[in-house]
Structure formats: C-alpha cells, structure tokens
Amino acid sequence: MNFLELKQLGDRTWYIPGRVNIGYYEENGQGYLIDSGLDDDQGRKVLKLLNEERRDTPLRAIVNTHSNADHIGANAFIQKRTNCQVWTTRIEGILTERTSLEPLLLWSAWPFKAIRGKFIEAKPSKVVFIDQPMAIGDPRFTDEYPIKDTALVAVPLPGHYLDMIGVKTPDDVFFLADALFDPTVLEKYRFCVMLDVTSAHKTLDMIERTNARWFVPCHAPATQDAGELARQNHEGLNWVTEAVYEALTNSGRPLTREEILSHIGVTHGLEMDAAHLLLNLACVAAHLTHLSELDRVEPFVEDCRLLWRKKSA
Ligand SMILES: [Zn+2]
C-alpha cells in the first residue's frame, strides 16, 4: 500500500514525497503538477489525492522536467482523466511523445523487448513545447526563462539528460529534477544516469550558489540547504570518473567501455539486468568523454573494437 500525501512548502506550492517527488502548484485557480510519476497506478493515486485535498482546482498542466519514464509515466493516465496539457522542453517533449526513443537511445537501434519495460519506456503522452528561447550552444542557453503565461520559471539543468529543466515557483521553492541524488542512492548504485559529466558539475556549482527557501530534488528529500547535497553529488561523480580511470590503470591495457563497466561492476559487487547495464554503460561513456575533455584518456580503434587508453602525462 502506497500512501501519498501533499506537503505544503509555500502559499501555493506543495510536493508529494515518493520514489519520485512530484511538485504541485496553484495559480489563478488552476493546478500544475511538476512531473507525474511512473505509471497509471501512480497517476490514479495522485489524482485521488488532489481530488481529496484540492477538490475544486482544475489541473491545467503537467510540467515535465525531463523525459525519463519515472517522471512522465503517469502523464497518459492523468491527461486522459483530466484533459490537462503536458508542458516540457522541445527535445524532452519529442521523447515524451515517442517514448520508444528512450530504449532506442540506449541500444542505438530498434530496442529488444527486455529493455522496453515501464522503467525505460513510458506510455506516450501529447505534449505542448515550452519554448527555450536560446539555441543549444548559445552561451545564454542556461539562462532562466518563464514557463508560458505562468509565474513559474524554467531553469536549465544540463548534465543528467538532453534538455532537463528545474522549476522555480514564486514561493521561492526550487524543484531540482534529477540534478541531485540522495547520497545513499549514489553509494548503493554508484552509477546514476548522466549524459554530460562536465555540464553536471557546472549545474551542481550553480545550485550551490543559488538561494531558495526549499529545494526539492526528485530523488532525495526536500531540503532548505542544498549545499551539502551538491558537494556529495560532486563527490559521487568524481568517484565514477576515477573508477573508470583506475580500471584502465589496474588492467594495464586499453579497454572497451563494456570491459570498463565489467571491471567496476565486478570489483564493487554491482548487480544489473540488461536495461540497467545499458544505462550504466551510457554513464561510463559520459565519464570517458569527460576524461577525454580533461586530456587524461583517448580512444582508438583496433581489431574492430573501440578501445580507450590513458594518455601519458
Ligand atoms: Zn528520475
């Protein structure tokens, strides 16, 4: 039995704690969810809760921070029941409408069945894009911008996914999506989905510099001080970067990214199924890119394998 509750963080801002923390906000008599949860069951529970606690407030939109299944999986159910809109950035929106692209990204071809479960491939939903005014590559791409005609503000959080945003409410509550994880999760799984490690560090720096009354990560409890959490997440990223580098040192020869993951996984007793393995492989790839940006490793091709070696200092 999964009991949900609405916790108030400001005059018009609440959140629903859970495996994925879901935000809730009201403006001009209309309600907004920030992310929706994993599946129909979660959607049903969220709607029941809102109906009990905020009975006369129609739901206008779900604002999705990014397109990972645990954040968008309940969209379809909620949209069907309430006719609400789904708002998200353009790239994340395309993946929200065509959710088979998520496992396709992992496998780089049409995905096989074992990686198409609900934790990877959510039910698709219909999206209205939030317009990010800057093009990718423009230095102002990371600037904040308003979310449609509301007082909500989108804050780009590069690193974890393609164009993930955080959401600030006028009550000074900052929803941080997956820019930060609970340290116990980092400790247990070691790898977290991360596409761009260099940007993820910059995003953590930005969060450390930001003041807010409440910070709400999706996968850690709400906190009034995100500084310590940001520091632990920097450390978690650095742990993986160094583990990837050490795998090359310890084996004394160049390795493929699969061999690097195997080395780390076996050394630290990590267990993974096919989907989890591909997610971790993407994470190893992101850290290899990061290490190559630091000029510590380089790729080369030999015997039809993409190998990575340390660069001599
Ligand atoms: Zn997530």
Side-chain angles (χ1 to χ4, degrees), residues 49-68:
L49 178 70
L50 292 181
N51 196 35
E52 283 162 9
E53 305 275 333
R54 316 294 307 162
R55 182 170 293 279
D56 296 319
T57 312
L59 187 67
R60 183 178 177 208
I62 299 166
V63 181
N64 280 134
T65 58
H66 64 299
S67 60
N68 286 166

PDB file of all heavy atoms in Angstrom, residues 49-68:
ATOM      1  N   LEU A  49      -5.572  11.933  -4.585  1.00  0.00           N
ATOM      2  CA  LEU A  49      -5.067  12.844  -3.548  1.00  0.00           C
ATOM      3  C   LEU A  49      -5.475  14.287  -3.857  1.00  0.00           C
ATOM      4  O   LEU A  49      -5.969  15.011  -2.976  1.00  0.00           O
ATOM      5  CB  LEU A  49      -3.531  12.732  -3.483  1.00  0.00           C
ATOM      6  CG  LEU A  49      -2.823  13.637  -2.482  1.00  0.00           C
ATOM      7  CD1 LEU A  49      -3.119  13.193  -1.049  1.00  0.00           C
ATOM      8  CD2 LEU A  49      -1.311  13.629  -2.720  1.00  0.00           C
ATOM      9  N   LEU A  50      -5.277  14.742  -5.098  1.00  0.00           N
ATOM     10  CA  LEU A  50      -5.622  16.120  -5.455  1.00  0.00           C
ATOM     11  C   LEU A  50      -7.126  16.337  -5.322  1.00  0.00           C
ATOM     12  O   LEU A  50      -7.582  17.400  -4.885  1.00  0.00           O
ATOM     13  CB  LEU A  50      -5.168  16.445  -6.888  1.00  0.00           C
ATOM     14  CG  LEU A  50      -3.651  16.510  -7.118  1.00  0.00           C
ATOM     15  CD1 LEU A  50      -3.360  16.874  -8.573  1.00  0.00           C
ATOM     16  CD2 LEU A  50      -2.979  17.521  -6.188  1.00  0.00           C
ATOM     17  N   ASN A  51      -7.880  15.316  -5.675  1.00  0.00           N
ATOM     18  CA  ASN A  51      -9.331  15.419  -5.585  1.00  0.00           C
ATOM     19  C   ASN A  51      -9.780  15.554  -4.125  1.00  0.00           C
ATOM     20  O   ASN A  51     -10.710  16.303  -3.812  1.00  0.00           O
ATOM     21  CB  ASN A  51      -9.949  14.186  -6.248  1.00  0.00           C
ATOM     22  CG  ASN A  51     -11.415  14.395  -6.535  1.00  0.00           C
ATOM     23  OD1 ASN A  51     -11.815  15.508  -6.852  1.00  0.00           O
ATOM     24  ND2 ASN A  51     -12.199  13.345  -6.402  1.00  0.00           N
ATOM     25  N   GLU A  52      -9.099  14.852  -3.232  1.00  0.00           N
ATOM     26  CA  GLU A  52      -9.446  14.938  -1.808  1.00  0.00           C
ATOM     27  C   GLU A  52      -9.014  16.267  -1.191  1.00  0.00           C
ATOM     28  O   GLU A  52      -9.739  16.862  -0.406  1.00  0.00           O
ATOM     29  CB  GLU A  52      -8.758  13.797  -1.038  1.00  0.00           C
ATOM     30  CG  GLU A  52      -9.444  12.445  -1.215  1.00  0.00           C
ATOM     31  CD  GLU A  52      -8.541  11.273  -0.827  1.00  0.00           C
ATOM     32  OE1 GLU A  52      -7.442  11.505  -0.266  1.00  0.00           O
ATOM     33  OE2 GLU A  52      -8.929  10.133  -1.107  1.00  0.00           O
ATOM     34  N   GLU A  53      -7.816  16.730  -1.573  1.00  0.00           N
ATOM     35  CA  GLU A  53      -7.224  17.884  -0.881  1.00  0.00           C
ATOM     36  C   GLU A  53      -7.488  19.219  -1.582  1.00  0.00           C
ATOM     37  O   GLU A  53      -7.487  20.260  -0.948  1.00  0.00           O
ATOM     38  CB  GLU A  53      -5.700  17.694  -0.760  1.00  0.00           C
ATOM     39  CG  GLU A  53      -5.271  16.402  -0.106  1.00  0.00           C
ATOM     40  CD  GLU A  53      -5.255  16.498   1.406  1.00  0.00           C
ATOM     41  OE1 GLU A  53      -5.074  17.605   1.927  1.00  0.00           O
ATOM     42  OE2 GLU A  53      -5.419  15.443   2.049  1.00  0.00           O
ATOM     43  N   ARG A  54      -7.593  19.211  -2.917  1.00  0.00           N
ATOM     44  CA  ARG A  54      -7.738  20.469  -3.684  1.00  0.00           C
ATOM     45  C   ARG A  54      -8.910  20.333  -4.641  1.00  0.00           C
ATOM     46  O   ARG A  54      -8.813  20.624  -5.830  1.00  0.00           O
ATOM     47  CB  ARG A  54      -6.442  20.781  -4.477  1.00  0.00           C
ATOM     48  CG  ARG A  54      -5.149  20.602  -3.735  1.00  0.00           C
ATOM     49  CD  ARG A  54      -4.977  21.571  -2.597  1.00  0.00           C
ATOM     50  NE  ARG A  54      -5.142  22.963  -2.966  1.00  0.00           N
ATOM     51  CZ  ARG A  54      -5.374  23.930  -2.076  1.00  0.00           C
ATOM     52  NH1 ARG A  54      -5.461  23.646  -0.787  1.00  0.00           N
ATOM     53  NH2 ARG A  54      -5.518  25.175  -2.464  1.00  0.00           N
ATOM     54  N   ARG A  55     -10.045  19.957  -4.108  1.00  0.00           N
ATOM     55  CA  ARG A  55     -11.189  19.483  -4.876  1.00  0.00           C
ATOM     56  C   ARG A  55     -11.613  20.348  -6.064  1.00  0.00           C
ATOM     57  O   ARG A  55     -11.853  19.845  -7.159  1.00  0.00           O
ATOM     58  CB  ARG A  55     -12.383  19.305  -3.926  1.00  0.00           C
ATOM     59  CG  ARG A  55     -13.631  18.771  -4.600  1.00  0.00           C
ATOM     60  CD  ARG A  55     -14.666  18.392  -3.566  1.00  0.00           C
ATOM     61  NE  ARG A  55     -14.266  17.262  -2.752  1.00  0.00           N
ATOM     62  CZ  ARG A  55     -14.368  15.991  -3.124  1.00  0.00           C
ATOM     63  NH1 ARG A  55     -14.823  15.692  -4.314  1.00  0.00           N
ATOM     64  NH2 ARG A  55     -14.000  15.029  -2.325  1.00  0.00           N
ATOM     65  N   ASP A  56     -11.687  21.669  -5.871  1.00  0.00           N
ATOM     66  CA  ASP A  56     -12.273  22.493  -6.929  1.00  0.00           C
ATOM     67  C   ASP A  56     -11.249  23.113  -7.878  1.00  0.00           C
ATOM     68  O   ASP A  56     -11.577  24.004  -8.646  1.00  0.00           O
ATOM     69  CB  ASP A  56     -13.119  23.604  -6.295  1.00  0.00           C
ATOM     70  CG  ASP A  56     -14.289  23.001  -5.530  1.00  0.00           C
ATOM     71  OD1 ASP A  56     -14.878  22.032  -6.051  1.00  0.00           O
ATOM     72  OD2 ASP A  56     -14.578  23.477  -4.420  1.00  0.00           O
ATOM     73  N   THR A  57     -10.028  22.642  -7.794  1.00  0.00           N
ATOM     74  CA  THR A  57      -8.990  23.249  -8.629  1.00  0.00           C
ATOM     75  C   THR A  57      -8.720  22.385  -9.849  1.00  0.00           C
ATOM     76  O   THR A  57      -8.192  21.284  -9.723  1.00  0.00           O
ATOM     77  CB  THR A  57      -7.679  23.400  -7.810  1.00  0.00           C
ATOM     78  OG1 THR A  57      -7.992  23.975  -6.552  1.00  0.00           O
ATOM     79  CG2 THR A  57      -6.674  24.267  -8.545  1.00  0.00           C
ATOM     80  N   PRO A  58      -9.091  22.866 -11.045  1.00  0.00           N
ATOM     81  CA  PRO A  58      -8.814  22.046 -12.233  1.00  0.00           C
ATOM     82  C   PRO A  58      -7.314  21.987 -12.518  1.00  0.00           C
ATOM     83  O   PRO A  58      -6.589  22.960 -12.281  1.00  0.00           O
ATOM     84  CB  PRO A  58      -9.555  22.793 -13.352  1.00  0.00           C
ATOM     85  CG  PRO A  58      -9.690  24.198 -12.868  1.00  0.00           C
ATOM     86  CD  PRO A  58      -9.728  24.152 -11.362  1.00  0.00           C
ATOM     87  N   LEU A  59      -6.877  20.833 -13.009  1.00  0.00           N
ATOM     88  CA  LEU A  59      -5.461  20.680 -13.348  1.00  0.00           C
ATOM     89  C   LEU A  59      -5.250  21.211 -14.770  1.00  0.00           C
ATOM     90  O   LEU A  59      -5.827  20.705 -15.722  1.00  0.00           O
ATOM     91  CB  LEU A  59      -5.079  19.200 -13.267  1.00  0.00           C
ATOM     92  CG  LEU A  59      -3.589  18.897 -13.440  1.00  0.00           C
ATOM     93  CD1 LEU A  59      -2.779  19.444 -12.266  1.00  0.00           C
ATOM     94  CD2 LEU A  59      -3.368  17.390 -13.569  1.00  0.00           C
ATOM     95  N   ARG A  60      -4.414  22.260 -14.883  1.00  0.00           N
ATOM     96  CA  ARG A  60      -4.193  22.834 -16.217  1.00  0.00           C
ATOM     97  C   ARG A  60      -3.085  22.111 -16.970  1.00  0.00           C
ATOM     98  O   ARG A  60      -3.201  21.855 -18.152  1.00  0.00           O
ATOM     99  CB  ARG A  60      -3.841  24.316 -16.091  1.00  0.00           C
ATOM    100  CG  ARG A  60      -3.667  24.979 -17.449  1.00  0.00           C
ATOM    101  CD  ARG A  60      -3.361  26.453 -17.328  1.00  0.00           C
ATOM    102  NE  ARG A  60      -3.132  27.060 -18.630  1.00  0.00           N
ATOM    103  CZ  ARG A  60      -2.361  28.115 -18.834  1.00  0.00           C
ATOM    104  NH1 ARG A  60      -1.765  28.713 -17.804  1.00  0.00           N
ATOM    105  NH2 ARG A  60      -2.189  28.609 -20.040  1.00  0.00           N
ATOM    106  N   ALA A  61      -1.974  21.812 -16.262  1.00  0.00           N
ATOM    107  CA  ALA A  61      -0.843  21.204 -16.989  1.00  0.00           C
ATOM    108  C   ALA A  61       0.056  20.402 -16.064  1.00  0.00           C
ATOM    109  O   ALA A  61       0.137  20.655 -14.866  1.00  0.00           O
ATOM    110  CB  ALA A  61      -0.012  22.290 -17.675  1.00  0.00           C
ATOM    111  N   ILE A  62       0.718  19.412 -16.661  1.00  0.00           N
ATOM    112  CA  ILE A  62       1.864  18.748 -16.025  1.00  0.00           C
ATOM    113  C   ILE A  62       3.099  19.382 -16.652  1.00  0.00           C
ATOM    114  O   ILE A  62       3.222  19.396 -17.881  1.00  0.00           O
ATOM    115  CB  ILE A  62       1.871  17.232 -16.326  1.00  0.00           C
ATOM    116  CG1 ILE A  62       0.605  16.551 -15.796  1.00  0.00           C
ATOM    117  CG2 ILE A  62       3.128  16.577 -15.748  1.00  0.00           C
ATOM    118  CD1 ILE A  62       0.405  15.137 -16.364  1.00  0.00           C
ATOM    119  N   VAL A  63       3.987  19.932 -15.826  1.00  0.00           N
ATOM    120  CA  VAL A  63       5.258  20.432 -16.339  1.00  0.00           C
ATOM    121  C   VAL A  63       6.285  19.328 -16.124  1.00  0.00           C
ATOM    122  O   VAL A  63       6.553  18.953 -14.984  1.00  0.00           O
ATOM    123  CB  VAL A  63       5.716  21.714 -15.588  1.00  0.00           C
ATOM    124  CG1 VAL A  63       7.025  22.233 -16.166  1.00  0.00           C
ATOM    125  CG2 VAL A  63       4.635  22.782 -15.624  1.00  0.00           C
ATOM    126  N   ASN A  64       6.807  18.762 -17.199  1.00  0.00           N
ATOM    127  CA  ASN A  64       7.801  17.689 -17.052  1.00  0.00           C
ATOM    128  C   ASN A  64       9.206  18.266 -17.079  1.00  0.00           C
ATOM    129  O   ASN A  64       9.556  19.038 -17.960  1.00  0.00           O
ATOM    130  CB  ASN A  64       7.661  16.644 -18.167  1.00  0.00           C
ATOM    131  CG  ASN A  64       6.538  15.660 -17.923  1.00  0.00           C
ATOM    132  OD1 ASN A  64       5.754  15.375 -18.820  1.00  0.00           O
ATOM    133  ND2 ASN A  64       6.418  15.149 -16.705  1.00  0.00           N
ATOM    134  N   THR A  65      10.005  17.851 -16.094  1.00  0.00           N
ATOM    135  CA  THR A  65      11.388  18.349 -16.026  1.00  0.00           C
ATOM    136  C   THR A  65      12.251  17.715 -17.111  1.00  0.00           C
ATOM    137  O   THR A  65      13.153  18.333 -17.634  1.00  0.00           O
ATOM    138  CB  THR A  65      12.004  18.033 -14.652  1.00  0.00           C
ATOM    139  OG1 THR A  65      11.971  16.606 -14.436  1.00  0.00           O
ATOM    140  CG2 THR A  65      11.248  18.744 -13.537  1.00  0.00           C
ATOM    141  N   HIS A  66      11.976  16.431 -17.428  1.00  0.00           N
ATOM    142  CA  HIS A  66      12.673  15.725 -18.498  1.00  0.00           C
ATOM    143  C   HIS A  66      11.900  14.453 -18.812  1.00  0.00           C
ATOM    144  O   HIS A  66      10.874  14.191 -18.177  1.00  0.00           O
ATOM    145  CB  HIS A  66      14.141  15.445 -18.143  1.00  0.00           C
ATOM    146  CG  HIS A  66      14.352  14.524 -16.979  1.00  0.00           C
ATOM    147  ND1 HIS A  66      13.895  14.804 -15.714  1.00  0.00           N
ATOM    148  CD2 HIS A  66      14.976  13.320 -16.885  1.00  0.00           C
ATOM    149  CE1 HIS A  66      14.229  13.819 -14.891  1.00  0.00           C
ATOM    150  NE2 HIS A  66      14.881  12.903 -15.576  1.00  0.00           N
ATOM    151  N   SER A  67      12.371  13.662 -19.764  1.00  0.00           N
ATOM    152  CA  SER A  67      11.522  12.608 -20.331  1.00  0.00           C
ATOM    153  C   SER A  67      11.782  11.205 -19.791  1.00  0.00           C
ATOM    154  O   SER A  67      11.243  10.239 -20.321  1.00  0.00           O
ATOM    155  CB  SER A  67      11.702  12.590 -21.852  1.00  0.00           C
ATOM    156  OG  SER A  67      13.050  12.332 -22.174  1.00  0.00           O
ATOM    157  N   ASN A  68      12.567  11.049 -18.726  1.00  0.00           N
ATOM    158  CA  ASN A  68      12.773   9.693 -18.177  1.00  0.00           C
ATOM    159  C   ASN A  68      11.447   9.127 -17.670  1.00  0.00           C
ATOM    160  O   ASN A  68      10.605   9.853 -17.127  1.00  0.00           O
ATOM    161  CB  ASN A  68      13.806   9.718 -17.039  1.00  0.00           C
ATOM    162  CG  ASN A  68      15.241   9.894 -17.525  1.00  0.00           C
ATOM    163  OD1 ASN A  68      16.115  10.177 -16.747  1.00  0.00           O
ATOM    164  ND2 ASN A  68      15.473   9.745 -18.829  1.00  0.00           N
TER     165      ASN A  68
END
